Amino acid sequence: MIKKIFLIGYMGSGKTSIGAKLAEILNCKFLDLDAFIEEREEMSVKMLFKLKGEIYFRKAETKYLQEIIDQNEPIIVSLGGGTPCYGNNMERVLSATDIKSVYLKATIPTLAERLFTEKEQRPLIAHLNSKELLIEFIGKHLFERSPFYSQSEVTILTDGKSIDEIVEEVLKAED
C-alpha cells in the first residue's frame, strides 16, 4: 500500500506547488525536504552551504530523508533537486515499499523561463545574469542528474500543463 508520494525533479519543475495541491486533495501532510532541513538545522540551506559546506549539507539531507522515509504516515514530499543524486538517496526512496516516486520532468526552455524571474531566491543560479547562461547551466545539470531522476517509478511531463492537470496525472499513477 502506497502511503507516501515523493516528488523528484529539477528546481522549477513544480515539486512544491504540485506537492501542496496533492496533499490538500489527499488530505495528508506536505513536506518540502529543504524546508524540513532548514527547520531542523535552524538555518537556511544557503547559510548551511556557506557556513558548514556542501558535504555537511548532503549528510544532513540524507539523515533527514531517512527520517521521513521511516515515518509511518501518509505524506507528500518534495525532494530537493539534488537529493536523488547524492549518496544512496535514490536507492533509499526506491527500496521503500510504501513510497511512489514521481519525476516531474520539464524541458530546459520551460525551466529557464520559470527560474530566470526567481533566480535571486535560488543561490545556485543567482549569479547567472542572462537567460543563455541559465539555459547552459540547466542543460549541464540535467545531463548529470537525469540518470537519477529517470529511475523514478513514474515520469510526468509538465510542459504546458496546469497544476491541476499534473496533479490529476499523479493521482492516476497512484491507481
Side-chain angles (χ1 to χ4, degrees):
M1 175 66 191
I2 304 296
K3 287 205 263 183
K4 301 173 190 140
I5 299 172
F6 279 37
L7 299 173
I8 293 165
Y10 199 69
M11 65 177 143
S13 64
K15 300 181 302 284
T16 302
S17 303
I18 302 303
K21 184 77 172 185
L22 276 168
E24 183 185 314
I25 290 168
L26 296 172
N27 195 28
C28 67
K29 187 171 152 187
F30 169 68
L31 193 143
D32 178 284
L33 181 59
D34 283 347
F36 186 72
I37 293 168
E38 290 178 342
E39 182 183 304
R40 291 298 178 91
E41 293 289 321
E42 298 179 346
M43 81 176 61
S44 70
V45 169
K46 184 178 181 176
M47 287 308 290
L48 275 169
F49 266 79
K50 186 176 178 179
L51 298 177
K52 298 189 176 188
E54 185 174 7
I55 292 171
Y56 176 88
F57 173 79
R58 295 301 175 190
K59 285 181 178 176
E61 181 179 55
T62 296
K63 177 177 88 173
Y64 296 125
L65 174 66
Q66 189 61 53
E67 190 178 309
I68 295 162
I69 289 170
D70 291 341
Q71 288 180 10
N72 194 20
E73 64 176 319
I75 189 169
I76 310 298
V77 181
S78 167
L79 297 184
T83 306
C85 312
Y86 292 92
N88 59 351
N89 291 342
M90 194 64 194
E91 193 177 298
R92 289 170 190 265
V93 170
L94 294 173
S95 64
T97 56
D98 63 344
I99 295 174
K100 172 78 73 176
S101 56
V102 178
Y103 172 24
L104 299 178
K105 184 177 185 176
T107 61
I108 294 169
T110 296
L111 292 169
E113 199 60 44
R114 290 178 186 169
L115 291 170
F116 194 71
T117 56
E118 59 182 60
K119 67 184 184 69
E120 302 310 319
Q121 287 79 49
R122 298 187 181 263
L124 206 57
I125 59 171
H127 67 286
L128 302 171
N129 49 19
S130 77
K131 210 171 262 187
E132 291 73 29
L133 287 173
L134 181 60
I135 287 169
E136 188 178 316
F137 182 87
I138 294 168
K140 179 184 174 294
H141 248 176
L142 276 179
F143 178 77
E144 296 166 349
R145 293 178 174 191
S146 286
F148 297 96
Y149 293 168
S150 62
Q151 292 176 47
S152 299
E153 296 165 85
V154 176
T155 297
I156 295 175
L157 303 174
T158 63
D159 284 22
K161 294 178 185 169
S162 69
I163 290 172
D164 290 338
E165 289 170 317
I166 297 164
V167 165
E168 195 175 310
E169 285 190 51
V170 173
L171 293 171
K172 281 181 186 168
E174 265 300 277
D175 299 336

